[in-house]
Amino acid sequence: MPEETIDVLLIEDDLDDQFLVKETLLSDSSGTRLTVESADRLETGLERMSARPPSAVLLDLSLSDSRGIDTFLRVHTFSPTVPIIILSGNQDEDMALEAVRLGAQDYLLKGDMDNKTLPRVIRYAIERNRNQQELQSLSILDDLTRLYNRRGFLMLAGQYLKLAKRNTTPLTFFFFDVDHIKDMNDRYGHHEGDLALVRAADALRATFRKSDVIGRLGGDEFTTVAMDAGLNAIPTILKHLDQNLAQLNVGSPYQVSMSAGAAYFDPQGATLSIEELMEQADRSLYTEKEKKKASSQQNI
């Protein structure tokens, strides 16, 4: 069986350090198959991660467009399952240790890199991360839909809200439930009801970005946190959700639809908690369901 190739993304704006890391990795004598791609800005690195997640990220915390611990938090929040190794100068070692405390797999001083140490740190970070993900998946993923469960969603949503507050970026919290799920269970059986919930989860995956957090709170209730989604984005997102549901409903004896509510986090001075945003979105959802109910009664 061929050895797995390790795709490393280096986010570093110093060209000399980029050259050093690439030369160090490509001269690795352990036999590990490594590829290295570099980005000199955080935004460029995030775009690359969105297109194709790497096996691991080597990250300098002091970049031209982001500095300090926020640099790590933005990468970690954007892709929580990718292992991150901090590349640090001596003067930044305390910050690197803080990043490890917050979820980075490891850190390495740039002066300590050689063609044995750096590849080994990367391999160990990937293996530790893989083991952690396997353990975490047992406690934070919903068994039916493989979305985050309530515990996993609240944990990650809390991180997103902290990041939105720190960087004054907008965030929108969505609350969904599947319409008429009890009728589906009664008419088609609970197995088909479960398949309807899976279809709803697939529609949410198709609608939201990989960087957004999607969860199933239980029963027919779903929720999503969308970073950088302002008020103007809400109608477009809900329209895309309806379109994706329509595509997934083709050929089915029943049509899955969802009601939605939204709560917008204003980064300019808002102090709402996740629980308060959930309550706002839930009230918005209730209003939407009442409108649907009134409309269906008028059509009878």
Side-chain angles (χ1 to χ4, degrees):
M1 184 176 179
E3 184 180 4
E4 175 188 7
T5 299
I6 295 176
D7 297 315
V8 177
L9 174 62
L10 169 65
I11 306 179
E12 165 68 72
D13 62 357
D14 187 294
L15 294 180
D16 289 336
D17 286 339
Q18 281 190 20
F19 178 80
L20 175 62
V21 170
K22 289 181 178 180
E23 285 294 299
T24 301
L25 287 178
L26 296 178
S27 63
D28 171 34
S29 58
S30 68
T32 302
R33 297 172 57 188
L34 288 163
T35 67
V36 188
E37 185 176 347
S38 60
D40 61 0
R41 299 176 70 252
L42 179 60
E43 291 302 325
T44 307
L46 295 180
E47 289 173 4
R48 160 65 176 79
M49 293 176 71
S50 179
R52 185 164 62 92
S55 307
V57 171
L58 296 176
L59 178 65
D60 188 335
L61 295 177
S62 298
L63 302 169
S64 60
D65 59 339
S66 181
R67 301 186 67 83
I69 203 67
D70 275 355
T71 305
F72 164 72
L73 291 173
R74 289 182 65 188
V75 176
H76 184 53
T77 305
F78 184 83
S79 190
T81 61
V82 173
I84 301 170
I85 300 127
I86 305 299
L87 294 181
S88 171
N90 289 321
Q91 70 277 14
D92 296 328
E93 189 171 4
D94 289 343
M95 196 184 304
L97 284 167
E98 175 67 5
V100 171
R101 187 185 71 80
L102 292 172
Q105 279 296 326
D106 208 342
Y107 81 96
L108 185 64
L109 295 177
K110 293 179 181 180
D112 293 341
M113 287 190 301
D114 57 46
N115 63 356
K116 292 183 178 179
T117 303
L118 182 55
R120 183 174 67 247
V121 167
I122 292 172
R123 291 196 303 272
Y124 287 177
I126 291 172
E127 186 59 31
R128 280 197 306 272
N129 184 70
R130 185 176 292 138
N131 291 337
Q132 289 171 0
Q133 293 299 320
E134 289 175 355
L135 289 173
Q136 277 192 328
S137 70
L138 299 176
S139 61
I140 66 172
L141 292 184
D142 175 58
D143 289 338
L144 178 65
T145 63
R146 307 310 292 170
L147 297 175
Y148 290 111
N149 60 20
R150 177 182 288 271
R151 177 184 178 187
F153 175 81
L154 291 176
M155 179 180 68
L156 288 174
Q159 293 179 8
Y160 268 48
L161 184 58
K162 288 179 183 177
L163 195 59
K165 289 177 179 178
R166 289 170 70 104
N167 295 323
T168 62
T169 53
L171 175 151
T172 298
F173 185 101
F174 291 90
F175 215 101
F176 304 96
D177 71 12
V178 179
D179 298 326
H180 313 302
I181 191 68
K182 183 180 183 302
D183 293 341
M184 290 184 203
N185 286 329
D186 292 343
R187 183 172 181 180
Y188 299 103
H190 285 274
H191 174 69
E192 286 297 326
D194 285 347
L195 292 180
L197 295 174
V198 171
R199 191 184 305 172
D202 290 342
L204 291 171
R205 285 192 186 92
T207 301
F208 290 93
R209 299 164 299 183
K210 290 182 179 179
S211 56
D212 296 328
V213 184
I214 310 172
R216 180 188 176 206
L217 296 182
D220 62 351
E221 294 182 336
F222 295 83
T223 186
T224 303
V225 165
M227 186 71 86
D228 292 321
L231 282 171
N232 293 336
I234 294 174
T236 302
I237 290 171
L238 297 181
K239 180 180 178 181
H240 287 164
L241 175 61
D242 288 340
Q243 291 171 342
N244 288 321
L245 279 169
Q247 291 179 359
L248 292 170
N249 281 329
V250 172
S252 173
Y254 53 85
Q255 301 295 291
V256 176
S257 64
M258 302 180 77
S259 296
Y264 172 66
F265 171 77
D266 183 355
Q268 303 300 324
T271 58
L272 294 176
S273 66
I274 283 295
E275 290 75 15
E276 289 169 326
L277 285 168
M278 288 176 70
E279 186 177 343
Q280 281 192 15
D282 193 27
R283 288 199 300 266
S284 175
L285 171 65
Y286 177 79
T287 301
E288 172 65 17
K289 291 185 75 69
E290 287 297 303
K291 288 180 181 178
K292 282 188 175 182
K293 183 179 179 181
S295 177
S296 63
Q297 289 175 345
Q298 289 175 1
N299 293 330
I300 294 175

